[in-house]
């Protein structure tokens, strides 16, 4: 099983035209069976940015799961009423109205949950009931499949990033349900860390295609390749080489 974990595309702040093509080509080159996109498809949730993101997503050959990020909610200065009342209306109209999507192929089960929230600047929030949904979904999956939970904001503090409010309960539910990997983004820093208990991995993906880099990974665009091998899991970071024009 090979899964592409891609995050923080930020259409509206794309690095250059080559990087989006290189990302699609590398996902194919690595033989990925599916793609998980953990939010921030757009820079400012504009219609044209969602349109550009969807055009790119539709070029992917693999089945995919997509969830929103905090940049996919209406901007405060553009429509403060929608930011408070219906922050993901544009995302749900142009991408998907399913904020708890699932993806299942042979040997893999993925659940996405929403942490994008209008009543904050950029922090995340997992609503009551998300932890229960996580427990129920994964409890019904076969024991021998790889179990992936996808969320935009980290559920625990990573790289100086605050955990999503309510994230601790979701993380505990994931641990109890035997989740193998929590895929998240938001921080624009690529890192793979072991969670609170043996066996749980956290895949914190960098920004795949944007110019919104953060120290200590300035200038680096990347995505994570998650693959099952020898009864375990490997997670590797694929980083864009500007000179070669490809991910390596």
């Amino acid at each position: 099983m090979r899964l592409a974990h891609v995050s923080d595309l930020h259409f509206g702040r794309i690095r250059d035209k080559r990087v989006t093509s290189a990302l699609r080509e590398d996902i194919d080159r690595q033989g990925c069976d599916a793609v998980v996109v953990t939010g921030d498809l757009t820079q400012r949730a504009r219609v044209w940015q969602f349109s550009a993101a969807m055009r790119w997503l539709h070029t992917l050959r693999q089945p995919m799961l997509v969830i929103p990020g905090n940049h996919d909610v209406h901007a405060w200065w553009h429509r403060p009423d929608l930011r408070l009342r219906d922050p993901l209306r544009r995302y749900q109209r142009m991408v998907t109205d399913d904020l708890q999507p699932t993806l299942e192929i042979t040997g893999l089960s993925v659940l996405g949950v929403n942490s994008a929230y209008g009543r904050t600047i950029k922090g995340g929030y997992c609503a009551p009931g998300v932890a229960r949904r996580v427990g129920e979904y994964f409890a019904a999956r076969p024991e021998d499949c790889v179990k992936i939970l996808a969320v935009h904001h980290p559920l625990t503090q990573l790289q100086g990033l605050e955990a999503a409010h309510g994230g601790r309960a979701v993380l505990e539910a994931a641990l109890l349900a035997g989740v193998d990997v929590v895929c998240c983004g938001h921080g624009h820093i690529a890192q793979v860390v072991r969670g609170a208990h043996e066996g749980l991995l956290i895949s914190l993906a960098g920004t795949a295609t944007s110019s919104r880099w953060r120290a200590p990974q300035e200038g680096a665009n990347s995505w994570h390749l998650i693959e099952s091998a020898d009864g375990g899991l490997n997670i590797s970071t694929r980083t864009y080489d500007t000179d070669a024009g490809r991910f390596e």
Side-chain angles (χ1 to χ4, degrees):
M1 185 283 300
R2 287 191 162 195
L3 175 69
H5 174 205
V6 176
S7 196
D8 297 83
L9 299 167
H10 287 280
F11 276 86
R13 280 286 298 273
I14 295 297
R15 174 184 189 144
D16 60 47
K17 292 181 179 179
R18 297 191 306 164
V19 70
T20 54
S21 296
L23 176 57
R24 180 186 67 250
E25 292 165 3
D26 200 44
I27 290 171
D28 282 342
R29 189 179 302 116
Q30 299 310 311
C32 291
D33 302 299
V35 180
V36 168
V37 184
T38 51
D40 281 0
L41 277 65
T42 68
Q43 176 62 16
R44 295 296 177 209
R46 303 290 192 183
V47 169
W48 71 269
Q49 293 170 3
F50 277 120
S51 295
M54 292 307 294
R55 282 195 300 272
W56 183 80
L57 289 173
H58 285 153
T59 68
L60 298 180
R61 306 166 191 257
Q62 297 80 3
M64 74 183 75
L65 178 146
V66 183
I67 55 172
N70 56 292
H71 277 259
D72 299 321
V73 304
H74 287 283
W76 279 113
W77 59 87
H78 183 232
R79 287 290 303 272
D81 58 327
L82 287 179
R83 175 81 179 207
L84 295 173
R85 179 168 45 85
D86 195 7
L88 288 167
R89 185 171 75 174
R90 189 167 288 167
Y91 172 90
Q92 290 182 281
R93 187 178 79 242
M94 300 190 69
V95 183
T96 174
D97 62 358
D98 189 355
L99 299 181
Q100 290 189 347
T102 61
L103 171 65
E104 296 190 28
I105 60 174
T106 302
L108 174 69
S109 293
V110 187
L111 170 65
V113 297
N114 177 43
S115 63
Y117 184 58
R119 297 176 182 269
T120 183
I121 300 300
K122 60 181 180 180
Y125 170 70
C126 294
V130 170
R132 182 175 63 255
R133 167 65 171 153
V134 169
E136 292 174 350
Y137 174 76
F138 287 112
R141 308 279 74 78
E143 290 187 6
D144 59 349
C145 76
V146 178
K147 299 177 181 179
I148 306 283
L149 175 64
V151 58
H152 179 66
H153 294 83
L155 300 176
T156 187
Q157 188 172 4
L158 297 172
Q159 289 285 355
L161 300 170
E162 290 187 6
H165 183 70
R168 186 66 188 176
V170 177
L171 183 61
E172 290 176 355
L175 290 167
L176 289 173
V179 168
D180 297 295
V181 184
V182 175
C183 291
C184 55
H186 185 59
H188 297 196
I189 298 173
Q191 186 183 20
V192 180
V193 297
R194 191 168 294 282
H197 294 272
E198 185 70 20
L200 176 65
L201 294 171
I202 299 176
S203 171
L204 176 64
T207 175
T209 54
S210 84
S211 59
R212 301 185 76 249
W213 308 295
R214 290 182 184 166
Q217 297 180 8
E218 295 94 342
N221 293 102
S222 61
W223 64 279
H224 279 166
L225 173 63
I226 303 172
E227 52 188 334
S228 57
D230 300 326
L233 290 173
N234 292 329
I235 304 180
S236 55
T237 302
R238 306 282 302 172
T239 304
Y240 184 62
D241 184 317
T242 54
D243 294 331
R246 58 184 284 168
F247 285 83
E248 299 180 346

